[in-house]
Amino acid sequence: PVVSDLGDMYKAADGPCSAALLARLAVEKSLNSRLEDARQAVAARVVAVLKEYKSLYSTSHRMPNKLVLPEGLKLIGLYALAVMKCKAMRGGAKDVALDDRAAVAYAMMAMSLPATLRFLYPTLYALHTLPDDCCEPGPDGAVIMPTPVALASEVLDSRGVYLLDDGRILIAWVGRAVPAELLQDLFGAVGVADPLLLDVDHDSALSKKVQKLLGVLRTGKDTYQQCFVVRQGDAIETHWMPYLVEDRIAGTMSYTEFLCHIHRNTSK
C-alpha cells in the first residue's frame, strides 16, 4: 500500500496530475470502446473517487445537499467535463473528423502537464479590458498577465473581444455589438465583410498591448500558434462554441449540471 490511511492519500491528491491522468485513460479507452462508453467511464471514475472520500468523512461532513470535494481535487469535476468535451472525446463521427480526432488524441498522450491542462480548459482573456500593465514585468520580475474569464457564454459581452488560448491555436471572438472605436483600435480600418487580422499592429495603445500578449502566449511553444478571428453570428462560430466548456452544448451537460450529476451519484 502507498499509505496506511486512505485519508492521507486524499490529502496529498494532486488535482492537475489527476486531471491529466484522467485524460490519458479516457483516450486509451476510446481506442477500444465506443466514445460514449469512454465518456461514461470518465464520469464513473470521478464518482467512484468522490464517493469513497464521502464515505471516509461521512460523520464530519453532515451536509447531504452539498458536494464535498477533497482540497486537492476541487476542480476535478471541471476537468473531467473538459475531457469529455475535448475534440478527441466529444460527439460522434459526424461531429469531429476522424483525422482531427486521431491527431488530438495522439497529441494528448504526449502533452506535458501544463499543456494538457491548458488544452482541456483553455485560457480566455477579455481584450477590451486589458490592464495598462498587461505583459509588463511585475515587482517580482514575472510578466503580469490579464485575469482570465470563465469559459461560459454568459460572461461573454457582445460589445467585447475575447482571445482564447488552448496552447495549440489562438482564437479571437468578436461580439456583434463591438463599438467602431474598439474595432478600429484592434483591427484597423475594415469594412463589414472584410477579414479581421489580430496579428497586425495598428498603431494604437490597445493594439500594442494585444501584440505583447500574443508574443507572451507564443513564447516557449513547440509550434507557432496561428491566430484565427471569429465574428459572433458567423457560420464558423460553431467551431468556437465547443471551447465553452462550462456551457450546455449539443446535448452535453453544463458544468453545473455535471456537478449535480456527480452529487446525485455519490449520494446513492
Side-chain angles (χ1 to χ4, degrees), residues 73-187:
L73 300 177
K74 290 291 188 182
L75 296 178
I76 194 63
L78 179 61
Y79 280 116
L81 183 64
V83 169
M84 293 188 286
K85 290 186 175 184
C86 75
K87 188 174 285 189
M89 301 297 298
R90 71 171 180 260
K94 295 182 179 180
D95 299 289
V96 180
L98 181 59
D99 287 349
D100 288 344
R101 194 186 299 277
V104 170
Y106 178 83
M108 287 176 65
M109 297 298 287
M111 284 180 182
S112 65
L113 177 58
T116 300
L117 299 180
R118 177 64 56 84
F119 178 73
L120 292 176
Y121 194 89
T123 308
L124 185 63
Y125 302 105
L127 298 184
H128 54 286
T129 59
L130 289 180
D132 292 336
D133 58 358
C134 174
C135 298
E136 297 293 338
D140 59 352
V143 175
I144 299 175
M145 296 297 289
T147 303
V149 299
L151 294 176
S153 57
E154 63 183 18
V155 305
L156 298 181
D157 187 346
S158 62
R159 297 166 298 178
V161 179
Y162 298 81
L163 180 67
L164 180 138
D165 171 28
D166 75 346
R168 291 160 59 88
I169 62 172
L170 298 165
I171 303 177
W173 181 86
V174 182
R176 59 165 55 94
V178 171
E181 297 80 8
L182 177 58
L183 208 62
Q184 173 81 21
D185 286 344
L186 285 175
F187 303 104

Side-chain angles (χ1 to χ4, degrees), residues 5 11 19 34 50 53 90 94 102 108 125 152 168 173 191 195 203-204 208 212 218 226 230 239 241 250-251 254 263:
D5 183 357
K11 291 178 183 178
R34 295 187 310 149
L50 298 183
Y53 177 76
R90 71 171 180 260
K94 295 182 179 180
M108 287 176 65
Y125 302 105
R168 291 160 59 88
W173 181 86
D203 198 26
S204 70
K208 292 183 184 302
K212 285 185 179 180
R218 286 167 171 157
Q226 285 187 282
V230 175
H239 296 284
M241 300 307 292
S254 68
H263 182 248

Side-chain angles (χ1 to χ4, degrees), residues 3 6-15 18 70 72-73:
V3 293
L6 193 57
D8 292 338
M9 183 187 72
Y10 280 101
K11 291 178 183 178
D14 189 318
S18 299
L73 300 177

Side-chain angles (χ1 to χ4, degrees), residues 25 42-43 48 61 78 88 99 141 181 183 190 217 222 253 267-268:
L25 291 174
V42 172
H61 296 294
L78 179 61
D99 287 349
E181 297 80 8
L183 208 62
V190 293
L217 295 178
D222 294 332
M253 287 183 280
S267 301
K268 291 180 179 178

